[in-house]
Amino acid sequence: MMNWQSLGASLAQQLQQPMGEFRTVPIHGGDINQAFRLECDQRKFFVKVNRSELLSMFVAEKAGLDAIRHSGTIRVPEVYLAGCEGDLAYLVMEYIELGGRPDADRFATALAAMHRCFHEQFGFECDNTIGSTPQINTFNADWIQFWRRQRLEFQLELARKNGFDTRLIDAGNRLAETLGKFFESYQPRPSLLHGDLWSGNQGADEQGNPVIFDPACYFGDHEADLAMMELFGHPGQRFFAIYNEHFPIDAGYSERRELYNLYHVLNHANLFGGGYAAQAERIIERLLSF
Ligand code: ADP
């Protein structure tokens, strides 16, 4: 059980504000962590809780949310505190009243602006997690090498350890050797990415501003975020039309979309098994035939 009194004292110190009486309300819906709304006077906080060994996951989530917030392009929850209380780790952030899906025009404009925040190299200041799987973000100036080693081959290696069919892994490794063909006339720049932008990590605040949360940030090809938005759900044609006005989408996107989503499908196979391994194999076969 979380020692809420002690967490409240740490939060009061961090915010340099006394915390009066507060109550906690469990929130359902997350995949990885326990979540609570902490209500205190007129303020509300969103608190994630997990085992203390997973503090680095929360520290990395804070780094991602801070990076997006500092870009000043799209609303994310402000993070106040990441720490441990006994054998539990916690992440305390601003509670945002989320209502429905973001407006396509505003979301497309804000996301394109975020993707226009560039870095010199691909990667991020720290490793983080995608779902609960480690995601390696060592900086690399070469996108193909970055995607090959730190995304595709990392998941294939996990699949091997998880005992998946060698046919899948061999085909995946063959694909890894031919990634150059997807980039013959396209050179991505290192854009600030959310990294896990499925529809469950998007919303709108009470003023209708788009909000994104639960990121797995890194600097990478902006198409990787767009592809993930099409994997589980779809933001609609209007979104893409507006986005394209602010950050043109290359003609080869539809081929690379499969390649980028393969990473998430492999990750789902590694996390949940089931039909995801067969789906990954079908994607690999298609990509090999391009
Ligand atoms: P997990 O890391 O366990 O996947 P999420 O970050 O996805 O958890 O959060 C779980 C749910 O809580 C989300 O689907 C969303 O509806 C809600 N949520 C997330 N962040 C906030 C926030 N800062 N304020 C209010 N609700 C939030």
Side-chain angles (χ1 to χ4, degrees):
M1 270 292 285
M2 173 56 74
N3 182 340
W4 292 105
Q5 289 305 325
S6 182
L7 190 151
S10 303
L11 190 56
Q13 193 177 26
Q14 173 72 14
L15 298 174
Q16 306 222 312
Q17 269 175 21
M19 295 279 285
E21 284 286 301
F22 61 83
R23 67 183 197 119
T24 52
V25 182
I27 295 178
H28 303 288
D31 301 323
I32 315 285
N33 307 292
Q34 277 188 291
F36 301 87
R37 187 172 63 239
L38 196 156
E39 299 177 354
C40 165
D41 302 325
Q42 297 308 312
R43 296 194 70 171
K44 289 180 188 162
F45 302 90
F46 185 79
V47 185
K48 289 190 184 189
V49 176
N50 213 318
R51 302 192 315 278
S52 57
E53 307 91 87
L54 296 173
L55 174 62
S56 62
M57 178 177 80
F58 286 156
V59 170
E61 182 170 342
K62 178 181 183 320
L65 287 167
D66 285 348
I68 298 176
R69 206 168 87 83
H70 292 145
S71 78
T73 53
I74 187 162
R75 186 167 185 198
V76 288
E78 179 173 359
V79 182
Y80 302 118
L81 206 55
C84 275
E85 232 353 286
D87 57 1
L88 293 174
Y90 60 80
L91 182 67
V92 185
M93 65 185 89
E94 168 188 15
Y95 185 89
I96 300 178
E97 217 64 66
L98 293 165
R101 285 179 61 110
D103 169 75
D105 289 39
R106 294 174 73 177
F107 190 25
T109 307
L111 196 69
M114 184 182 99
H115 288 162
R116 287 200 154 280
C117 296
F118 298 112
H119 197 269
E120 305 88 69
Q121 297 203 50
F122 302 98
F124 196 55
E125 62 190 68
C126 58
D127 294 339
N128 45 25
T129 46
I130 182 77
S132 54
T133 309
Q135 175 165 271
I136 310 302
N137 295 320
T138 308
F139 279 113
N140 192 324
D142 183 333
W143 173 246
I144 300 175
Q145 213 175 66
F146 178 91
W147 191 264
R148 176 177 175 168
R149 297 208 180 127
Q150 303 187 56
R151 295 293 180 266
L152 184 55
E153 290 179 344
F154 186 86
Q155 289 289 338
L156 290 169
E157 181 56 20
L158 272 185
R160 194 187 59 74
K161 286 185 191 146
N162 286 332
F164 284 111
D165 199 326
T166 50
R167 234 183 31 210
L168 165 72
I169 294 149
D170 292 347
N173 283 323
R174 276 205 311 282
L175 176 66
E177 285 165 20
T178 63
L179 292 186
K181 71 180 177 184
F182 296 97
F183 297 92
E184 276 165 6
S185 57
Y186 176 65
Q187 279 162 357
R189 292 180 67 186
S191 289
L192 177 59
L193 304 186
H194 175 283
D196 192 11
L197 202 50
W198 71 291
S199 57
N201 287 341
Q202 318 160 6
D205 68 13
E206 284 177 303
Q207 288 74 43
N209 300 303
V211 181
I212 54 178
F213 46 91
D214 202 16
C217 283
Y218 62 102
F219 289 90
D221 183 358
H222 71 135
E223 291 182 357
D225 258 3
L226 298 178
M228 178 53 156
M229 293 178 75
E230 293 195 69
L231 181 58
F232 305 113
H234 196 281
Q237 291 311 325
R238 173 93 192 155
F239 170 90
F240 279 100
I242 301 293
Y243 183 96
N244 197 50
E245 285 173 16
H246 296 278
F247 195 159
I249 302 170
D250 184 84
Y253 163 64
S254 56
E255 287 180 7
R256 285 183 296 271
R257 178 177 55 204
E258 294 261 311
L259 175 66
Y260 291 144
N261 281 340
L262 173 61
Y263 172 62
H264 295 291
V265 174
L266 279 171
N267 188 41
H268 275 65
N270 279 315
L271 289 171
F272 311 118
Y276 289 112
Q279 190 184 347
E281 206 174 321
R282 284 196 300 275
I283 296 175
I284 292 170
E285 291 305 334
R286 259 200 314 276
L287 289 167
L288 281 170
S289 71
F290 278 161

